[in-house]
Amino acid sequence: SNLSNPNGNSTYHAAQARLVEKALFYYDQAGDQARNVFQNAAAADYYARALSLVAPGDLQMQYQLRVKLDDVYDQLGNREVQKRNLERLHHLAGALGKPYNFAEVSKLETNYRFSIAEFPQTIEKAKETIELAQQAGNREFAMRAYAYIMSSLVSLGKYGEAVGFAEAGLQLARETGHLSGEAQLLNVYGLIALKLRDPETARNRLERSLEIYHQVGNLRGEATPLANLGMVYSYLSDYP
């Protein structure tokens, strides 16, 4: 039997470890597939199962799965669970100690604040994200943060202030050739211009946003400036 064979036990444990590894890979992949077709409840279940199989010392894998869980909890609007998961992510980023992780968690916390309509806190957290993103050399996180600042200022009715951040964000996007970031910022800029009763600037920014999304093949992205252009055309027909 295995018990009388000194190598039997280690062979058994190695086989068990391989099984756990396979199951972890399966649940992670199944979660990705479910998330890609917007089956967020199923994705959350798969990722949670994968997380339960991760070795306690594998902080990077725990971190990666919790980032994916944040996305599905966000899509589900499950704010309480999202908040608890973000607290664990904050702790893991500290343990990993890498600038990228600090910047990413700050970006996710910014999104959470915006989701629960805490706009002044969103702005503060987004400014922190821009600093951390610069330290990590990650322009994408910085541009997301600019978009959150702009959207929060719009929600607070501070349109003039939002224009300054729009210009700063667009400059960063253009300097780095980040087309998706530029399209996203142009879309928010278009809304700001409309709020400032400048429909021509709004149309210009939104049409450029639509062009870029089309250029990079982002169909989901195209839908947002298209919908906003509808508001601009409606405004122009109301105010000839």
Side-chain angles (χ1 to χ4, degrees):
S1 82
N2 276 347
L3 290 175
S4 59
N5 176 356
N7 294 321
N9 242 2
S10 61
T11 307
Y12 170 77
H13 286 305
Q16 285 292 97
R18 278 196 299 276
L19 278 175
V20 169
E21 206 175 299
K22 272 187 178 175
L24 171 54
F25 178 78
Y26 165 77
Y27 285 132
D28 186 20
Q29 294 290 300
D32 288 350
Q33 286 168 12
R35 184 166 63 139
N36 288 341
V37 292
F38 309 107
Q39 292 179 354
N40 292 304
D45 183 52
Y46 284 129
Y47 290 141
R49 286 169 189 245
L51 194 57
S52 72
L53 297 172
V54 180
D58 191 350
L59 302 183
Q60 186 59 41
M61 191 65 196
Q62 290 175 43
Y63 178 88
Q64 287 170 7
L65 285 166
R66 287 195 180 277
V67 167
K68 292 177 181 183
L69 276 168
D70 177 78
D71 182 46
V72 290
Y73 292 149
D74 186 42
Q75 300 295 327
L76 290 165
N78 196 337
R79 300 297 166 213
E80 201 46 54
V81 180
Q82 186 183 9
K83 185 184 177 187
R84 287 202 299 273
N85 186 60
L86 274 170
E87 285 163 3
R88 294 292 305 137
L89 269 171
H90 197 91
H91 175 76
L92 284 165
L96 289 164
K98 293 174 186 167
Y100 177 92
N101 301 121
F102 288 125
E104 186 172 37
V105 172
S106 186
K107 180 200 72 165
L108 298 178
E109 288 171 342
T110 303
N111 171 65
Y112 172 75
R113 294 286 174 199
F114 187 77
S115 300
I116 58 172
E118 289 186 353
F119 301 121
Q121 294 90 330
T122 300
I123 293 165
E124 287 312 304
K125 183 54 78 171
K127 286 176 180 174
E128 182 186 306
T129 301
I130 291 167
E131 275 185 39
L132 290 168
Q134 284 168 345
Q135 289 166 26
N138 190 300
R139 275 114 185 181
E140 188 177 342
F141 293 165
M143 276 176 281
R144 290 286 298 162
Y146 274 114
Y148 280 120
I149 292 172
M150 289 156 63
S151 299
S152 297
L153 288 168
V154 167
S155 297
L156 294 167
K158 298 179 178 179
Y159 308 124
E161 205 179 324
V163 169
F165 282 100
E167 293 291 356
L170 281 171
Q171 187 181 340
L172 177 66
R174 285 165 184 159
E175 279 172 5
T176 56
H178 199 292
L179 288 173
S180 295
E182 185 180 352
Q184 185 188 16
L185 294 171
L186 282 165
N187 176 60
V188 184
Y189 200 162
L191 284 181
I192 295 165
L194 192 59
K195 294 285 187 185
L196 290 168
R197 297 172 188 245
D198 182 357
E200 284 307 323
T201 299
R203 182 164 66 179
N204 172 283
R205 301 291 185 270
L206 291 167
E207 283 177 351
R208 182 69 190 123
S209 172
L210 183 61
E211 273 174 30
I212 296 171
Y213 275 130
H214 186 70
Q215 185 184 334
V216 298
N218 185 340
L219 277 174
R220 274 178 75 185
E222 282 182 50
T224 316
L226 262 178
N228 292 334
L229 274 166
M231 288 196 290
V232 173
Y233 295 139
S234 165
Y235 183 97
L236 286 168
S237 67
D238 289 347
Y239 301 92

